[in-house]
Amino acid sequence: MKNFDPKYNDIPKTEIHVHLEGAIRTSTIIDIAKEHNLDLPAYDVEGLNPHVKVYDQWESLDAVLGAFNIAQRSIASPQAFERIAWEYFEDSARQNVKLLEVRFSPDWAFSGHDLNWDAALDGILRAKSRAESQLGMAIGLIAIASRSMGVESCEKTVDWAICHQDVIHGIDLADSEAQHPISEFVRPVLRAKDAGLGITIHSGEDTPASAVIETIQAVGPERIGHGIHIIEDMAAVEMVIENGITLEVNPWSNYLTNSVPTIESHPLKKLFDLGVRVTINSDDPEILETNLNNEYRIAHEVLGMSMEEIKICNRFAVEASFLSEAEKNVAMKELKI
Ligand SMILES: [Zn+2]
């Protein structure tokens, strides 16, 4: 549930793991559908919400990914993509977010309406520069290669990201890790790494600690998306610590996708106490009906992290950010950490 308790809202924040495709306001999905004559199961917020939001624990990650289809159809034009991004930046500013990295999968997000990737990128860049000047936040962009779209799609995404390296800060691999392990994508990921792009990989979300070990050995990423299942193998925990890898943790998402059986059993604090550089993020705030304030509430009230410990997670996020040192220094001062 979205939370605007000042106790959490007032804390200056970082967000380094969020999918723009999962951050579209329901009212905007409706507006865009009307504008582009798109079919929706309902054309009012209350009627559409059950189709575009996940309120309860689902049986598997794949089930949740199915809810993204409506979001994909909403990315109907570069202008629609700009609007979606701008509104997400507004929603973040409302929660006092100071440093933000937003990710999207161009081959997936832009294929619903066959958008030109560069034109869509221009849309998000317009939203980003407006947000940076008007909302006072530093914003980075990460291009995702969707594993289920295959290695050729990954190669194409890496080529595009390298070509736009002045504005794309990193590369990510997402979805279906169990079916498509890191071994399929080593070549393009290492190509992105050699070009100087930041590397973060979804791993150990619905897969065991061994998947994270394999990922680290194969491509040596700076960051891992989720990674929570390392808690089941101390060798994996030690490997993450020794390599200075930062975990982008998303507690409520992990509960909803059944990656943890109960929210109380989430290993965020245990990992922090073991010395892992964990960060707190929202993943898909609209689809999962959460926000950063809610994730902080869970960290503090359910998992027992102190407010000081939560601030340390923000420092870890800035340190691991793919943004420039100058932007990170500004954010560090605003975050008072
Ligand atoms: Zn994610």
Side-chain angles (χ1 to χ4, degrees):
M1 186 185 303
K2 290 189 191 296
N3 176 303
F4 289 98
D5 181 343
K7 178 174 170 187
Y8 304 107
N9 203 71
D10 292 350
I11 303 171
K13 300 182 180 70
T14 58
E15 169 83 277
I16 60 169
H17 188 120
V18 65
H19 299 255
L20 192 52
E21 300 95 328
I24 312 176
R25 293 178 190 165
T26 306
S27 55
T28 300
I29 293 174
I30 294 166
D31 285 352
I32 292 171
K34 286 179 179 166
E35 197 183 324
H36 293 268
N37 292 316
L38 307 174
D39 280 339
L40 283 181
Y43 291 87
D44 63 289
V45 169
E46 212 175 304
L48 186 59
N49 270 341
H51 300 275
V52 295
K53 288 186 186 288
V54 178
Y55 295 108
D56 297 313
Q57 193 169 30
W58 284 30
E59 282 176 10
S60 72
L61 180 66
D62 285 340
V64 174
L65 293 174
F68 278 90
N69 287 334
I70 290 177
Q72 186 191 35
R73 291 208 302 276
S74 302
I75 303 171
S77 67
Q79 292 73 24
F81 198 51
E82 177 180 353
R83 173 178 173 175
I84 289 164
W86 167 255
E87 290 176 349
Y88 170 65
F89 298 148
E90 270 188 332
D91 292 343
S92 301
R94 202 175 151 206
Q95 295 173 75
N96 214 3
V97 175
K98 297 297 181 190
L99 181 144
L100 171 61
E101 290 181 9
V102 65
R103 62 188 71 193
F104 55 95
S105 169
D107 212 8
W108 183 82
F110 304 149
S111 65
H113 295 270
D114 201 19
L115 301 189
N116 176 286
W117 291 21
D118 288 357
L121 177 65
D122 284 343
I124 194 173
L125 288 174
R126 284 193 295 273
K128 168 178 138 80
S129 60
R130 239 174 100 201
E132 285 177 328
S133 63
Q134 292 179 23
L135 305 175
M137 49 173 59
I139 299 170
L141 303 181
I142 296 172
I144 300 175
S146 302
R147 296 173 193 260
S148 55
M149 296 186 82
V151 70
E152 272 180 37
S153 170
C154 183
E155 295 277 8
K156 185 180 170 192
T157 304
V158 167
D159 285 340
W160 183 71
I162 291 173
C163 184
H164 294 288
Q165 215 174 331
D166 52 333
V167 290
I168 303 274
H169 301 85
I171 279 283
D172 174 28
L173 280 184
D175 91 38
S176 311
E177 186 185 25
Q179 292 80 24
H180 299 280
I182 187 68
S183 54
E184 294 179 20
F185 305 97
V186 171
R187 202 186 89 94
V189 171
L190 289 182
R191 218 154 49 71
K193 189 178 183 182
D194 288 346
L197 284 160
I199 305 295
T200 176
I201 309 283
H202 278 72
S203 184
E205 178 181 12
D206 60 339
T207 48
S210 57
V212 179
I213 292 176
E214 204 186 315
T215 298
I216 295 169
Q217 287 171 336
V219 298
E222 291 119 303
R223 296 167 16 193
I224 294 278
H226 302 283
I228 55 168
H229 285 284
I230 63 169
I231 196 70
E232 290 150 16
D233 180 356
M234 274 313 288
V237 170
E238 275 159 29
M239 184 182 268
V240 164
I241 294 170
E242 275 168 22
N243 286 279
I245 293 168
T246 300
L247 298 192
E248 307 156 355
V249 181
N250 309 273
W252 190 240
S253 166
N254 295 146
Y255 167 69
L256 288 180
T257 60
N258 212 8
S259 298
V260 291
T262 61
I263 192 65
E264 291 78 13
S265 63
H266 195 286
L268 174 71
K269 181 170 164 54
K270 287 195 196 91
L271 289 166
F272 179 91
D273 289 344
L274 285 167
V276 177
R277 300 171 72 85
V278 289
T279 62
I280 304 170
N281 306 279
S282 67
D283 212 7
D284 300 291
E286 286 300 324
I287 287 183
L288 304 179
E289 187 57 12
T290 185
N291 61 5
L292 268 183
N293 292 336
N294 186 45
E295 304 295 332
Y296 283 32
R297 179 192 65 78
I298 291 167
H300 182 58
E301 295 179 23
V302 181
L303 304 177
M305 289 185 85
S306 71
M307 296 304 238
E308 260 333 289
E309 288 171 334
I310 289 172
K311 285 181 189 164
I312 292 170
C313 295
N314 277 328
R315 180 162 58 74
F316 290 155
V318 177
E319 287 168 353
S321 167
F322 299 146
L323 283 163
S324 70
E325 288 307 315
E327 289 170 297
K328 287 160 68 159
N329 286 338
V330 171
M332 204 70 103
K333 282 194 193 107
E334 285 176 343
L335 287 154
K336 303 182 188 85
I337 45 180

